[in-house]
Every structure is written in C-alpha cells, then in structure tokens.
C-alpha cells in the first residue's frame, strides 16, 4: 500500500484523465464527483469514491481529503465552486492544492486564495501545439515552469564537428547542456567536456530560459 494519497475533485474529462494516469502507479486515490456513474466507473482503482458536492467542507472531511498529500480541483467551469473547494482543502491542511481554470482572471483569484498551482489545460495544449508548429517537430520542449524549459533536439548539421567551446551555446542560445544521446532512446550521456566534438545523428538535451526558445526555431532548417 502506497503512503501517498491524492484527491481528485471532479471527474470531468480533465479529472478523469488525471485519475486514469495516476491509477497506473502505486498511489492511493480519493475521488469526489456529483455523478454516481463516474464514481462507479473508477471505483476499482479508488481507495474511496464519494458522490457529492465538492464545495461541502464536511463532505470533504468525511471523504478523507484532509489525509491527502495533494488535491487536484479538476472542475474549472464554475469559479465559485473552485474557490470554495480550494479554500476548504487548505483549511483542512492539504499541503498541495492544484486547480484547473479556464481564464486568466480565475487563475489570479485561485492563486490569491491559496492554490499552490493553477493550470489551464487549454492554454498549455495551445502553447504545446504552437511549439510543435514552430519547431517543425524537430525540438521536444518540456516546460518546467513559466520561465524555464528542458529541450531535446538533434544536433544541427552546422554544429557537427565543432566543440562546445567553439559553439558557445550558452552565450549564443542560452542553452545549458545537460547531456547527449547517441541514438533515439539511448541513455543520456552526461560525461562530456568543452572540447569534445559534436557528432552527427546525436541529440542534445539542455535547459533554456523560455524567452530564448524562438532562437531555436530555424536551427534544423
């Protein structure tokens, strides 16, 4: 039995997706939704499933939300419901509360009343799609936060045969190198020096400030 307990409030498309992904791991999951058929659907993977109103603090307490390490407030349609759910979770002592929102205004409100993280799936998917279009699928971008990303990309032909010191990737592109892969899905090689020559068909992984991402768009053209 896992010693981690995650609560999910609301089992719409987003909440159900989060639950299904978490259910593949050794994690205790508590779910609350006002639709009995959704609770029944996920009952086999839940330690507790409760049909009810996520804005009812007594119901949250009786469901064991106060025992959760993290709670995802997965309903973003009604701001009032999200506000009350976040406030109740924090009042119950939940260390980390993550809330879904649909607007920038809602994001600001939930941050002010104590949400530890506020996400907009539509915005994140839109940004991811834009990056895919921008980089022609040649650069994988993993957002760490609003300021920093990890990127993985094939070494451009113009870099092959040159060393890191010659290329000055930190100065020119704000790339802080983490390592290299000699082929797809190969282990990341973190043993490298500034004078090592870059090889063709090799991938590079690096940390970059998001404001410099656009500088990578044309590297592989």
């Amino acid at each position: 039995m896992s010693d981690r307990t995650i609560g999910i409030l609301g089992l719409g498309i987003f909440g159900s997706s989060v639950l299904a992904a978490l259910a593949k791991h050794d994690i205790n999951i508590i779910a609350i939704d006002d639709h009995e058929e959704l609770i029944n659907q996920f009952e086999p993977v839940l330690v507790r499933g409760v049909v009810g109103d996520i804005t009812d603090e007594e119901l949250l307490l009786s469901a064991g939300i106060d025992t959760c390490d993290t709670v995802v407030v997965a309903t973003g349609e009604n701001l009032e419901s999200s506000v009350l759910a976040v406030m109740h979770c924090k009042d119950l002592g939940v260390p980390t509360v993550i809330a879904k929102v649909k607007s920038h205004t809602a994001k600001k409100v939930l941050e002010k009343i104590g949400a530890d993280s506020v996400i907009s799936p539509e915005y994140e998917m839109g940004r991811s799609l834009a990056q895919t279009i921008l980089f022609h699928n040649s650069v994988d971008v993993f957002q760490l936060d609003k300021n920093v990303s990890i990127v993985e990309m094939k070494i451009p032909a113009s870099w092959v045969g040159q060393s890191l010191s010659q290329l000055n990737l930190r100065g020119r592109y704000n790339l802080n190198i983490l390592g290299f892969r000699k082929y797809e899905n190969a282990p990341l090689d973190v043993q490298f020096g500034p004078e090592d020559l870059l090889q063709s068909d090799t991938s590079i992984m690096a940390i970059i400030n998001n404001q410099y991402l656009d500088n990578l768009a044309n590297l592989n053209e």
Side-chain angles (χ1 to χ4, degrees):
M1 181 69 69
S2 173
D3 59 358
R4 294 193 62 194
T5 302
I6 308 297
I8 301 178
L9 308 185
L11 293 180
I13 294 174
F14 177 70
S16 295
S17 298
V18 174
L19 195 160
L22 290 174
K24 298 176 182 178
H25 303 276
D26 183 24
I27 294 175
N28 303 318
I29 304 172
I30 298 173
I32 301 175
D33 192 274
D34 57 3
H35 291 81
E36 184 175 3
E37 64 273 18
L38 288 173
I39 294 296
N40 291 340
Q41 177 184 338
F42 289 103
E43 186 176 11
V45 298
L46 300 174
V47 295
R48 190 171 297 119
V50 177
V51 179
D53 182 358
I54 65 169
T55 68
D56 183 341
E57 187 172 8
E58 289 299 320
L59 180 112
L60 298 183
L61 181 61
S62 64
I65 291 299
D66 58 313
T67 68
C68 292
D69 306 286
T70 299
V71 169
V72 179
V73 180
T75 174
E77 301 298 326
N78 186 301
L79 179 56
E80 182 180 355
S81 295
S82 296
V83 166
L84 289 172
V86 169
M87 291 179 62
H88 293 333
C89 288
K90 297 311 288 187
D91 287 344
L92 290 173
V94 177
T96 303
V97 178
I98 301 169
K100 171 197 171 189
V101 296
K102 296 200 72 173
S103 71
H104 183 66
T105 299
K107 181 176 188 293
K108 291 171 65 175
V109 170
L110 293 181
E111 286 175 338
K112 283 187 176 295
I113 57 101
D116 298 282
S117 179
V118 181
I119 61 172
S120 173
E122 292 87 353
Y123 172 76
E124 297 298 332
M125 284 300 297
R127 183 167 58 180
S128 177
L129 176 60
Q131 290 169 347
T132 298
I133 295 170
L134 178 65
F135 299 128
H136 308 290
N137 293 311
S138 62
V139 180
D140 290 325
V141 181
F142 310 94
Q143 299 273 170
L144 296 182
D145 58 32
K146 65 181 180 180
N147 296 316
V148 178
S149 292
I150 290 178
V151 297
E152 184 165 2
M153 56 186 278
K154 286 284 189 181
I155 296 213
S158 60
W159 293 5
V160 174
Q162 298 189 66
S163 67
L164 292 176
S165 61
Q166 288 174 310
L167 290 167
N168 186 25
L169 299 182
R170 180 177 295 176
R172 291 173 63 191
Y173 300 104
N174 193 251
L175 285 172
N176 295 285
I177 309 303
L178 297 175
F180 297 87
R181 294 190 201 279
K182 294 183 178 179
Y183 52 88
E184 188 175 0
N185 297 323
L188 188 68
D189 182 4
V190 297
Q191 302 297 323
F192 58 90
E195 302 306 321
D196 291 350
L197 301 183
L198 302 191
Q199 307 294 319
S200 61
D201 299 322
T202 299
S203 293
I204 188 172
M205 180 176 284
I207 293 177
I208 188 170
N209 190 294
N210 291 337
Q211 72 184 77
Y212 297 103
L213 275 171
D214 289 356
N215 295 339
L216 304 181
N218 299 318
L219 284 177
N220 285 299
E221 292 186 347

